[in-house]
Amino acid sequence: MAALSDQLLVVAILGYLLAMICHAVEYAFGTRSVIGRAAARPERARVLVGAGVGAPGGSGPADGPDPVVGTKLPGTDGPAPTGGSRSPRAVLAGRAAVALTVLAAVVHLAVLVTRGIAAERMPWGNMYEYLLSVTFVGVVGWLVLLYRRSTLRHLGLFVALAMVLLLAVAGLVLYVPIVPLVPALDSYWFVVHVATIAVSSGILLLGAVPAVMYLIRHGYDQGKRSFPYSLGARVPAADTLERLTFRLHAFAFPIFTFAVMAGAVWAEAAWGRYWGWDPKEIWAFISWVVYAGYLHARATPSVKRPVATWIAVLGFLTMQMNLYGVNIFFEGLHSYGGLD
């Protein structure tokens, strides 16, 4: 089973890679009749209690009519598209990309299942297994979003890119053979804490994609045309990306909070203290503070949307430090990465 899991990982990476290529074909060769609609026709905003939508400092109006078909749109070179797709091959490539992403996600799940069967435990015992779980949560969350709002499909290029890079790092750098759990992990809190932290981290990983693309699209709308702002021409409208960023973070933050609290309870049961200034505990707290700061900034009318979004990006960077940096460069009670 362990060998099968390793082989399936290669298949999953190839599946995400092919999906990324198909997304790139649609992104590069799709006409504005398809991509322009997604980029230029944001959904009507809904009033979010306490979220500050449409308040001063936002990226656009909170409510109002959609752009009139045939009028010139901000950030475009001409009128809004009126007809159907003029590039059916590009559309076909986009649909193939979604199908390949679904197939790769199924194989991705099989990687986790076979790894767990081979280890006779949940596959969360080291960095390699944990990263496989986090990326799986992220791609499933993406497919759910895509099912609910197909106009977001053009973000699939960047989601697939993230999957390819992270799984490649997992397979080439973080891979370790199956070993039994260390005694401190052999507890029912192992399932509670690690499951919730993996779910929240996967959603926060997904939330980083629209956050970065919002900053790019916002810069494009401000007249910047150099790379990477030139990518903003064919992604959804800035207002749509910003709201999606907020909703993903607002959903993940309570789960992340519970995971940190469960970790403290587990630490007391395993080591006799709730808090011990372990490097991973410190960085988890830093990440929690940064994400709380993002949600607070997002709900504050005087804080501009780009400023709040930069805080969300900073939170993602602290999570990466907690995942990679702490396990690789620091020694502590949480050093279960399996790396020498």
Side-chain angles (χ1 to χ4, degrees), residues 203-292:
I203 299 173
L204 291 171
L205 166 65
L206 177 61
V209 174
V212 173
M213 297 315 299
Y214 162 73
L215 294 172
I216 291 174
R217 174 68 196 223
H218 177 74
Y220 180 84
D221 290 344
Q222 297 298 312
K224 300 177 182 179
R225 295 296 183 267
S226 60
F227 184 83
Y229 298 107
S230 57
L231 297 174
R234 296 195 174 190
V235 298
D239 191 53
T240 298
L241 292 169
E242 195 280 329
R243 285 198 304 273
L244 178 60
T245 299
F246 167 72
R247 290 171 182 174
L248 288 171
H249 284 78
F251 179 76
F253 184 73
I255 304 175
F256 182 60
T257 302
F258 173 80
V260 173
M261 295 173 62
V265 174
W266 187 11
E268 196 281 331
W271 302 314
R273 90 291 187 278
Y274 292 99
W275 182 266
W277 297 103
D278 185 79
K280 188 165 284 287
E281 294 172 350
I282 294 173
W283 277 98
F285 178 69
I286 291 173
S287 297
W288 187 90
V289 170
V290 173
Y291 279 123

Side-chain angles (χ1 to χ4, degrees), residues 40 49 65 103 139 141 150 168 186 205 229 231 239 252 254 322:
V49 177
L103 179 60
V139 76
S150 61
D186 193 8
L205 166 65
Y229 298 107
L231 297 174
D239 191 53
N322 196 16

